[in-house]
Amino acid sequence: QKEVEQDPGPLSVPEGAIVSLNCTYSNSAFQYFMWYRQYSRKGPELLMYTYSSGNKEDGRFTAQVDKSSKYISLFIRDSQPSDSATYLCASGTYKYIFGTGTRLKVLA
Amino acid sequence: EAGVTQFPSHSVIEKGQTVTLRCDPISGHDNLYWYRRVMGKEIKFLLHFVKESKQDESGMPNNRFLAERTGGTYSTLKVQPAELEDSGVYFCASSHGELSGGYTFGSGTRLTVV
């Protein structure tokens, strides 16, 4: 079993839709939870990070962590074509375990 | 603030040759990390420097890989001799604190071994 599991997609949604991306993790010692966005041929770009459980909101993005169920979510409101990218969840302490990434395409 | 810089961006070498990848972290970032993504797999941790010291090299695949960070500034990752399975994208990342919660990645070096 992988330590971080993520549905690879691809996921296609119309512009303006609410997008829900999810991951599960297995190691209860993980304290930090991150979402990265990666465009083609670019490095991962940090979108959100959360320490322990709870919600964090930044503009159109909301990250949720439920440590009781070991579930990590990222919600994107009013999705835009520019949000089309691969979204990577990651968990860990000082070193991160990454999911495989979910490819998202927002259709204009 | 300049980001994390990696070069070369691409490298194609023959099996058995040597390749050296370089990473310049964000100025002032003591923590430097190397990660790798091989085709179809997730990004995986290779090693972690704090300044010039290796804190964790548990992800290094084998002794053909050598990472250095002289003077605690830039870092190099040398693969010698390269094998076909070393092909992938090598990412460098840096952070100020070890548990700062999310670090900044470079654009990566795409290595192809033929």
Side-chain angles (χ1 to χ4, degrees):
Chain A
Q1 182 194 9
K2 292 182 180 179
E3 287 190 274
V4 176
E5 298 271 7
Q6 184 174 12
D7 187 337
L11 179 63
S12 291
V13 300
E15 183 176 357
I18 296 175
V19 176
S20 173
L21 302 169
N22 306 292
C23 291
T24 58
Y25 67 97
S26 59
N27 192 334
S28 56
F30 288 166
Q31 295 288 336
Y32 285 92
F33 305 91
M34 276 69 57
W35 283 96
Y36 282 86
R37 178 175 62 193
Q38 187 176 19
Y39 293 110
S40 181
R41 304 283 175 162
K42 298 290 186 182
E45 170 197 7
L46 181 65
L47 270 180
M48 305 280 285
Y49 75 87
T50 309
Y51 175 72
S52 195
S53 279
N55 293 359
K56 188 169 185 177
E57 187 174 322
D58 185 1
R60 297 184 295 112
F61 299 90
T62 299
Q64 285 185 353
V65 177
D66 182 346
K67 292 195 78 177
S68 62
S69 59
K70 297 188 179 66
Y71 204 76
I72 314 164
S73 300
L74 177 71
F75 299 96
I76 306 174
R77 290 183 299 280
D78 187 25
S79 56
Q80 302 296 309
S82 58
D83 294 329
S84 298
T86 296
Y87 289 80
L88 302 154
C89 62
S91 300
T93 53
Y94 66 90
K95 64 182 179 184
Y96 300 156
I97 308 298
F98 281 84
T100 52
T102 300
R103 284 187 293 135
L104 171 68
K105 187 166 187 178
V106 181
L107 306 170
Chain B
E1 175 183 79
V4 177
T5 305
Q6 291 186 248
F7 51 93
S9 57
H10 294 84
S11 181
V12 180
I13 62 171
E14 292 184 351
K15 176 182 172 181
Q17 289 186 324
T18 297
V19 63
T20 300
L21 315 180
R22 173 167 168 150
C23 169
D24 286 73
I26 292 172
S27 179
H29 279 191
D30 289 338
N31 292 272
L32 186 148
Y33 311 83
W34 284 97
Y35 281 77
R36 176 175 77 166
R37 184 169 197 162
V38 297
M39 183 69 74
K41 301 285 188 181
E42 61 273 20
I43 297 173
K44 286 194 172 179
F45 171 83
L46 293 178
L47 87 160
H48 170 214
F49 283 100
V50 176
K51 297 185 179 179
E52 66 275 9
S53 299
K54 292 177 187 174
Q55 289 294 109
D56 183 347
E57 51 184 330
S58 60
M60 295 287 263
N62 50 61
N63 59 11
R64 295 185 293 103
F65 289 75
L66 176 64
E68 294 180 324
R69 190 180 183 195
T70 307
T73 54
Y74 71 91
S75 175
T76 58
L77 179 64
K78 182 163 70 173
V79 185
Q80 178 183 30
E83 298 289 346
L84 299 179
E85 65 265 25
D86 300 332
S87 297
V89 183
Y90 290 77
F91 292 106
C92 175
S94 71
S95 68
H96 181 65
E98 189 173 281
L99 297 177
S100 58
Y103 28 73
T104 304
F105 279 86
S107 292
T109 294
R110 186 173 297 273
L111 174 65
T112 303
V113 183
V114 297

